[in-house]
C-alpha cells in the first residue's frame, strides 16, 4: 500500500476538526486525492453502529466489539482500497481511541483490545496510521469547552474523571509507539496548533 494514512486523536473538545480540514486542503493543493473519514463510522454500516455506540446504553465489552466491528467494515470498504490506490486517508479517530475510551475510560481489558486489534487490522501486517496526531488537552479545559457545546452524546456526557482516564489511555498508547505519534498541546492558539500539525506531517515526509 503506497497511500498515506493519518489519524487524529484526543479527548472530546480537543478541536481536531479544523485541522483535519486544513490538512485536506494542504494535500489537495499537492494534487493528492484525499478521503476524510471518521470512526466509528465512514461506511453506512459503520455509521449505523456509531449511532448505537453514541446513544444506546451497553456494557464495555459490547461497546468495544461494536467499535471494532465498525472499524473492520471501514477498513475493508474504505481505508485499504484508498491506500492501495495511493490516496491520502485522514481519519478522525482510529484504534488509539478504543484503547483510550474503552480501555482507559471504561476500564476494559487492554490485552483483549490488543487481540481484537490484531484480528481486525492484521492480515500479513498490522494496519496502522503512518502518523497519529494527538491533540493533547487537559481534561479540565476540555470539560469547559464541552459545557458550552450542543447536546452531549454518551461520551461527552461523562464526568471529568472519565476523561482523565481516557487521557491516561492515550498516554499509554503514546509511550508504547511514540514514533508514530505527534503529541501536540491543544490548549495553544489555533494557529500555533496548526503550525505543529503541518510540521509533524512534513517531518514524516507525507506532504513533500
Ligand atoms: P467524535 O465525536 O470525535 O466523532 O467521536 C465519537 C465518540 O466516540 C468520542 O466520544 C470517542 C468515542 N469513541 C470510542 O469510544 N471508541 C472508539 O474506538 C472511537 C473511534 C470513538
Amino acid at each position: 500500500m503506497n497511500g498515506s494514512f493519518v489519524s487524529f486523536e484526543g479527548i472530546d473538545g480537543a478541536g481536531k476538526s479544523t485541522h483535519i480540514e486544513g490538512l485536506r486542503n494542504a494535500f489537495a493543493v499537492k494534487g493528492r486525492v484525499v478521503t476524510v473519514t471518521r470512526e466509528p463510522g465512514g461506511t453506512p454500516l459503520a455509521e449505523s453502529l456509531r449511532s448505537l455506540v453514541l446513544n444506546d446504553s451497553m456494557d464495555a465489552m459490547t461497546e468495544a466489539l461494536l467499535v471494532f466491528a465498525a472499524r473492520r467494515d471501514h477498513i475493508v470498504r474504505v481505508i485499504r482500497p484508498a491506500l492501495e490506490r495511493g490516496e491520502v486517508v485522514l481519519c478522525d479517530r482510529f484504534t488509539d481511541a478504543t484503547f483510550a475510551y474503552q480501555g482507559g475510560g471504561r476500564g476494559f481489558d487492554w490485552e483483549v483490545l490488543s487481540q481484537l486489534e490484531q484480528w481486525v487490522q492484521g492480515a500479513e501486517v498490522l494496519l496502522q496510521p503512518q502518523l497519529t496526531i494527538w491533540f493533547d488537552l487537559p481534561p479540565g479545559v476540555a470539560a469547559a469547552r464541552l459545557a458550552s457545546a450542543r447536546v452531549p452524546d454518551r461520551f461527552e456526557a461523562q464526568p471529568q474523571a472519565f476523561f482523565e482516564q481516557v487521557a491516561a489511555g492515550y498516554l499509554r498508547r503514546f509511550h508504547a509507539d511514540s514514533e508514530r505519534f505527534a503529541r501536540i498541546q491543544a490548549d495553544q492558539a489555533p494557529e500555533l496548533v496548526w503550525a505543529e500539525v503541518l510540521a509533524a506531517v512534513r517531518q514524516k515526509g507525507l506532504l513533500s
Side-chain angles (χ1 to χ4, degrees):
M1 285 188 289
N2 48 9
S4 307
F5 184 17
V6 182
S7 67
F8 302 82
E9 297 284 357
I11 59 176
D12 293 272
K16 298 173 267 113
S17 318
T18 326
H19 303 296
I20 295 174
E21 278 310 307
L23 273 186
R24 180 213 289 271
N25 294 334
F27 277 107
V29 163
K30 297 276 180 190
R32 301 289 301 274
V33 176
V34 186
T35 297
V36 173
T37 187
R38 67 176 182 179
E39 291 211 347
T43 70
L45 172 60
E47 289 291 332
S48 301
L49 294 175
R50 175 190 177 91
S51 168
L52 296 174
V53 168
L54 264 51
N55 299 304
D56 291 23
S57 80
M58 62 189 74
D59 81 335
M61 188 191 293
T62 309
E63 202 175 273
L65 292 171
L66 288 183
V67 292
F68 269 116
R71 179 161 304 128
R72 177 70 190 175
D73 195 55
H74 192 206
I75 288 171
V76 169
R77 291 180 199 270
V78 174
I79 298 178
R80 270 193 196 277
L83 295 176
E84 279 165 3
R85 291 191 300 266
E87 297 172 7
V88 177
V89 176
L90 304 179
C91 195
D92 187 346
R93 301 190 185 280
F94 195 61
T95 311
D96 299 305
T98 313
F99 282 87
Y101 281 79
Q102 281 66 53
R106 304 285 194 220
F108 186 68
D109 193 313
W110 201 268
E111 260 317 299
V112 175
L113 293 180
S114 296
Q115 287 173 13
L116 288 167
E117 178 183 37
Q118 294 290 331
W119 267 51
V120 168
Q121 289 154 246
E124 305 92 64
V125 281
L126 188 75
L127 176 72
Q128 288 289 22
Q130 281 116 306
L131 171 65
T132 295
I133 298 180
W134 174 25
F135 296 94
D136 187 13
L137 187 70
V141 178
R145 286 188 188 176
L146 286 177
S148 56
R150 56 202 161 77
V151 182
D153 62 36
R154 276 177 72 234
F155 295 101
E156 291 162 340
Q158 292 292 319
Q160 192 176 319
F162 175 85
F163 289 106
E164 311 265 358
Q165 290 169 329
V166 172
Y170 275 127
L171 190 64
R172 186 167 166 189
R173 283 289 276 185
F174 169 76
H175 284 309
D177 192 8
S178 56
E179 283 291 292
R180 174 166 62 84
F181 278 86
R183 181 182 185 181
I184 295 176
Q185 295 309 319
D187 55 347
Q188 311 177 72
E191 56 275 18
L192 297 180
V193 174
W194 171 242
E196 290 196 29
V197 169
L198 263 186
V201 174
R202 291 203 173 112
Q203 203 184 346
K204 284 275 176 185
L206 299 178
L207 245 184
S208 45

